[in-house]
């Protein structure tokens, strides 16, 4: 069984959003058009409470600075994907009707969650692993935003959990600050993620 996992195609990650990823909107229609080739379609939604610990404003620090948290280093982001805000909604062009599951992440105010599988402590599960196992899904294709953060962290966790993993890099766009894209691509190759 094969699943398509669409990462964070939300207004705040598209041009005009609070943490806009350049060209983020370009991938939406092609993502819609490949949904029919998968047994399962899963959407993730970054979903932070006000004052989330990953927001620079919560610490009165600069956007994109790095802070040591109890679970390791954390990039501090502009406020984004606040629960219920228009920025947190899926982009209106994304076909959400086809989704079998929507998984929300980053809701715990003390810890961020880039990966669709685990929070940034690399331990606390979101439940996605159990869902995929229960449905007999073995092969995963990742697309969405952003290549170097939520897509890469999700794909790396999936590979370590022994799924057969592909990332369709043409249907992803990156934040790419300080070499983060190159680093993410190298790590994915090391973990035998198939980059297409
Ligand atoms: C993401 C930074 C913060 C992402 C989410 O979807 O890649 N990046 N929150
Ligand atoms: Zn976030």
């Amino acid at each position: 069984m094969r699943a398509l996992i669409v990462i964070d195609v939300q207004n705040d990650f598209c041009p005009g959003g609070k943490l806009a990823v350049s060209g983020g909107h370009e991938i939406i229609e092609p993502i819609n058009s490949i949904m029919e080739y998968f047994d399962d379609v899963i959407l993730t939604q970054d979903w932070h409470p006000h004052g989330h610990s990953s927001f620079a404003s919560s610490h009165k620090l600069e956007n994109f600075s790095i802070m040591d948290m109890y679970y390791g280093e954390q990039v501090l982001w502009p406020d984004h994907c606040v629960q219920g805000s228009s920025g947190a909604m899926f982009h209106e062009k994304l076909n959400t009707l086809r989704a079998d599951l929507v998984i929300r992440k980053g809701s715990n105010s003390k810890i961020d969650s880039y990966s669709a599988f685990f929070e940034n402590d690399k331990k606390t599960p979101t439940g996605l692993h159990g869902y995929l196992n229960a449905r007999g899904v073995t092969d995963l294709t990742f697309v969405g935003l952003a290549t170097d953060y939520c897509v890469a962290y999700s794909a790396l966790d999936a590979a370590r959990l022994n799924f057969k993993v592909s990332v369709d890099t043409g249907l992803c766009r990156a934040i790419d600050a300080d070499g983060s894209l190159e680093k993410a691509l190298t790590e994915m190759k090391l973990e035998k993620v198939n980059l297409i």
Side-chain angles (χ1 to χ4, degrees):
M1 295 276 276
R2 300 170 63 234
L4 177 68
I5 305 190
V6 181
I7 302 288
D8 299 359
V9 178
Q10 294 166 260
N11 292 327
D12 271 344
F13 296 121
C14 290
K18 302 272 181 49
L19 182 46
V21 180
S22 168
H25 62 300
E26 298 163 0
I27 63 176
I28 302 174
E29 289 187 25
I31 290 174
N32 291 339
S33 66
I34 63 170
M35 287 180 176
E36 63 175 305
Y37 302 111
F38 292 85
D39 302 303
D40 252 53
V41 175
I42 295 156
L43 310 178
T44 70
Q45 192 170 25
D46 210 36
W47 195 248
H48 300 305
H50 278 289
H52 191 258
S53 59
S54 75
F55 296 168
S57 64
S58 305
H59 310 280
K60 303 200 166 55
L61 291 170
E62 298 264 330
N63 288 337
F64 307 104
S65 55
I66 291 174
M67 189 168 174
D68 270 319
M69 302 288 195
Y70 69 92
Y71 52 84
E73 282 189 353
Q74 171 70 48
V75 179
L76 297 180
W77 304 104
D79 291 24
H80 66 278
C81 296
V82 171
Q83 295 173 0
S85 67
S86 56
M89 300 300 136
F90 290 116
H91 191 286
E92 63 174 9
K93 292 216 172 104
L94 183 70
N95 178 8
T96 60
L97 300 178
R98 173 66 178 83
D100 298 289
L101 175 74
V102 174
I103 190 140
R104 287 178 170 161
K105 61 187 182 59
S107 318
N108 179 343
S109 55
K110 295 189 178 56
I111 182 166
D112 206 359
S113 186
Y114 295 146
S115 165
F117 292 92
F118 298 103
E119 293 183 345
N120 284 9
D121 61 3
K122 305 204 180 296
K123 287 200 290 273
T124 311
T126 61
L128 180 57
H129 186 202
Y131 173 90
L132 295 170
N133 281 348
R135 291 174 68 102
V137 177
T138 50
D139 291 44
L140 305 178
T141 298
F142 290 89
V143 295
L145 306 170
T147 325
D148 39 349
Y149 284 94
C150 292
V151 174
Y153 277 71
S154 299
L156 287 166
D157 279 344
R160 291 172 190 135
L161 292 169
N162 293 318
F163 290 96
K164 201 160 168 282
V165 184
S166 299
V167 172
D168 189 333
T169 54
L171 299 185
C172 297
R173 291 291 182 275
I175 295 173
D176 198 15
D178 291 328
S180 54
L181 177 59
E182 208 45 54
K183 184 165 170 265
L185 294 173
T186 305
E187 282 179 40
M188 289 194 281
K189 283 179 204 149
L190 279 173
E191 291 286 341
K192 309 253 182 313
V193 171
N194 181 28
L195 299 176
I196 33 184

